[in-house]
Amino acid sequence: MTNTLSRTRSTGAPPGRRPPGERPRSPWRARLRGQRTLLLLAAPGIVYFLVFHYAALFGNVIAFKDYVPFQGVWESPWVGFDNFERMFQDQAFWQAAWNTVAIAGLQIVFFFPLPLALALLLHSLARGRIRALVQSVVYLPHFLSWVIVVALFQQMLGPTGMFGGDVAFVADVLSNPDAFKPLMVAQIIWKDCGWGTIIFLAALSQVNNDLYESAALDGAGPWRRFWHITLPALRPIIILLLIMRLGDILTVGFEQILLQRDAVGPEAGEVLDTFVYFHGVLGADWGYSAAAGLFKGLVGAVLVFAANRIAHRLGEQGVYK
Amino acid sequence: MSSAVIDRVLGTAEERPAWQERPRLATRIGKVVALLGVCTLIVVPLLVVVSTSLASPDEVTEGGGWVLWPTEPTLQTYQDILSGGTITRSLVISVGITVGGTLISLFGTITLAYALSRDHFSLRRPLLLMVLFTFLFPPSMLPSYLVVKNLGLLDTYWALTLPVAINVFNLVIMRGFFQALPGELYDAARIDGAGELTVLTRIVLPLSKPVIAVIGLFYAVGYWNSFFHAILYLNDSSDWPLQAVLQTVVTQGAALGGNTSDALSDTGALAAPQSYQMATVVVAIVPILVIYPFIQKYFTKGVLTGAIKS
């Protein structure tokens, strides 16, 4: 911007009074020509987004088609909303949708508050060294793959595991359909509870200590200080994270569940993402599972919009303006 | 638990600000117990896995499939799985994908982030919006699969890297870092007649080492840990990376399947496959443990926390 401004100024002629005979320069194109290097630098990334995001987004049209692989996306016949009608009458689809929402709900109730609690605990530690050590330990599981986390759980709870071998109640936790949903939540707690503290700890470190001090001098006890200083300071972040989780309520750890679905069968272990995978990729029912995937994406987007609206109503910033 | 121990963990009175009450003993014990509990829950499974992998097959069988502390630690299982065979091959593949993928990702992320960080770039806003929009509508599995298939990338390692090459979140962090560099640097370079490419390679990149390191590590961990794309895009399981091979072990329960055990069959150790499984798990964890301290180093510098907030 500044660049063009200085260039027009240097010609000496005020804008609008061009010397006669000179063709009106297209400022937009001229400016871009000077930015050829920037365009070239942006190109690989932009091509990536066009191909793997936008073209893929366009690929959703097969939800309205009877997609046959050898005919391709273009040639396959249109079927209107047939796939969606079939989907809404499919017991297996609703079961998968229910399982998804149930697991996400359990996560929000039992997993969501834990990083906050752990962050408050860590924040209350005066000793920097010990705190850093504990932080190193609790962040670590986040960086382990789901394959490894599931293997660890098997080594602990499975029939040949540390507890599963001796305690009969534990032995069938991994294959008991009724225990599947709590197990999924327990695993995500193990993996990501520590990692989730980072954002809260960052917010806690921003709180002005003078606030605590003057509140304490005015006679506010630890609980009142927590309620009137700490919690309001964390409120925007709690609401932001909650919005993001609500918008993503139809997504529950695809890799995690894919690894363990077969141990309990689809009735307890199928979620929307695995439904798409098993029907579409493995079952070759392309259009149908694309419809399920599109449904999931649209509902997710609507939920983000709605949750963001609610956040604005509450006077919070939300994810975007 | 003596009061001295608690003081060591939670800090003594002198370290507490004057206005803060001395917490009650019960509270302080509760805190220490909670912290120890959390750390135990994380460390013990890892310890059992490492111990089991180091124990002899006989000891594992005796222990019922697990060992907390091996009496006679041996590296025999590691020698077996790393002396050729499925695990060795998949390990090499994993390293290749991780290194190659990280380089591709860093290249794409740095170049685009730089272009989007320059204020005078006329297409900055539209392109930024275009990128951020994908945050709301991430591509779903089947359409992505069709794109990969139509590009002819099925059964190639490109399919494991290109579709996930740029992460929007990482891009935004990188861009934020570039924008936060002092503007005088850019001005000075411009006066010296340096083009954008020179500015990027000579000035911006050397100053951005921390953010490049941490984002590179994030990409590397992502590539190392992913198994689903391999299963989705690579038909032949002999092309699979380590995590995908390990996945067959995990989903098939305790039995180490025939396709993963050609390294084991001639050792006659199938009676106690547990130590082999656990050795494989350890091999998959070790690279993470090796780079983890480096990632940690940058958390403390606030590279991430600052960016997360924006």
Side-chain angles (χ1 to χ4, degrees), chain A residues 202-223:
Chain A
L204 284 170
S205 69
Q206 300 285 312
V207 182
N208 191 346
N209 253 328
D210 297 347
L211 287 177
Y212 288 115
E213 187 166 1
S214 43
L217 290 178
D218 288 345
W223 279 109

Side-chain angles (χ1 to χ4, degrees), chain B residues 138-194:
Chain B
S140 56
M141 184 193 316
L142 281 194
S144 300
Y145 180 85
L146 291 179
V147 168
V148 169
K149 186 169 164 249
N150 287 332
L151 290 174
L153 299 180
L154 281 187
D155 291 316
T156 69
Y157 288 122
W158 294 113
L160 306 193
T161 51
L162 291 184
V164 290
I166 300 180
N167 176 298
V168 182
F169 188 69
N170 290 344
L171 182 78
V172 170
I173 293 180
M174 188 83 87
R175 175 177 172 269
F177 192 93
F178 290 164
Q179 277 184 323
L181 293 175
E184 296 87 47
L185 284 172
Y186 294 111
D187 297 342
R190 190 162 289 282
I191 291 165
D192 290 346

Side-chain angles (χ1 to χ4, degrees), chain A residues 1 35 41 48 54 56 124-125 127 136 139-140 143 145 152 154-155 160-161 190 213 225 259 286 289, chain B residues 10 15 19 21 31 41 49 64-66 111 120 122 130 142-143 145 162-163 225 243 250-251 274 292 296:
Chain A
M1 197 71 102
Q35 299 173 351
L41 282 174
Y48 162 78
Y54 285 89
S124 73
L125 296 188
R127 282 283 171 106
S136 315
Y139 292 164
L140 176 65
F143 295 94
S145 72
L152 289 178
Q154 287 183 351
Q155 185 64 5
T160 56
W190 190 84
E213 187 166 1
R225 292 202 300 268
L259 287 167
W286 295 92
S289 33
Chain B
L10 298 180
E15 287 164 320
W19 48 268
E21 306 82 353
K31 276 183 185 176
L41 280 177
V49 166
W66 62 278
T111 49
H120 65 274
S122 332
M130 179 192 143
L142 281 194
Y145 180 85
L162 291 184
N225 279 344
Q243 301 276 352
V250 168
T251 51
Q274 210 80 11
Y292 183 62
Q296 265 263 295

Side-chain angles (χ1 to χ4, degrees), chain A residues 1 3 28 31-32 35 37-39 41-42 44-46 48-57 59-60 62 67 69 73 118 121-122 124-127 130 132 134-141 143-148 150-152 154-156 160-162 166 190 195 198-199 202 206 209 212-213 216 220-222 225 254-255 258-259 273 276-277 280-281 286 289-290 293 297-298 301 304-305, chain B residues 8-11 15 19-21 31 34-35 38-39 41-46 48-49 52 64-66 68 107 111-112 114-115 118 120-123 127 130-131 133-134 136-137 139-151 153 162-166 168 171 196-197 200 218 221 225-228 231-232 243 246-247 250-251 254 274 278 281 284-285 288-289 292 295-296 299 305 308-309:
Chain A
M1 197 71 102
N3 198 15
W28 190 79
R31 229 189 298 161
L32 266 191
Q35 299 173 351
T37 325
L38 280 179
L39 271 177
L41 282 174
I46 293 304
Y48 162 78
F49 280 102
L50 285 177
V51 171
F52 290 104
H53 287 257
Y54 285 89
L57 213 53
N60 276 309
I62 67 164
Y67 177 72
V73 176
L118 185 57
L121 181 57
L122 282 171
S124 73
L125 296 188
R127 282 283 171 106
I130 302 256
V134 176
Q135 276 176 299
S136 315
V137 173
V138 298
Y139 292 164
L140 176 65
F143 295 94
L144 304 178
S145 72
W146 273 114
V147 180
I148 287 171
V150 174
L152 289 178
Q154 287 183 351
Q155 185 64 5
M156 286 288 108
T160 56
M162 189 169 173
D166 302 322
W190 190 84
W195 181 246
I198 284 190
I199 192 160
Q206 300 285 312
N209 253 328
Y212 288 115
E213 187 166 1
R225 292 202 300 268
F254 171 67
E255 292 197 330
L258 182 67
L259 287 167
D273 283 330
V276 172
Y277 175 64
V281 179
W286 295 92
S289 33
L298 289 177
V304 174
F305 281 120
Chain B
R8 279 200 73 167
V9 177
L10 298 180
E15 287 164 320
W19 48 268
Q20 202 170 42
E21 306 82 353
K31 276 183 185 176
L35 285 174
V38 168
C39 291
L41 280 177
I42 290 169
V43 171
V44 166
L46 294 170
V48 168
V49 166
T52 308
W66 62 278
L68 189 59
F107 175 78
T111 49
L112 184 56
Y114 178 74
R118 308 300 289 123
H120 65 274
F121 185 31
S122 332
L123 293 180
L127 290 182
M130 179 192 143
V131 167
F133 177 76
T134 63
L136 267 185
F137 289 95
S140 56
M141 184 193 316
L142 281 194
S144 300
Y145 180 85
L146 291 179
V147 168
V148 169
K149 186 169 164 249
N150 287 332
L151 290 174
L153 299 180
L162 291 184
V164 290
I166 300 180
V168 182
L171 182 78
E196 297 287 357
L197 210 55
L200 175 61
F218 268 91
V221 170
N225 279 344
S226 100
F227 72 92
F228 176 64
I231 299 174
L232 184 63
Q243 301 276 352
L246 196 55
Q247 168 268 152
V250 168
T251 51
Q274 210 80 11
M278 292 308 120
V281 170
I285 295 178
I288 301 285
L289 289 182
Y292 183 62
I295 305 183
Q296 265 263 295
F299 291 154
T305 44
I308 288 170
K309 261 178 276 156

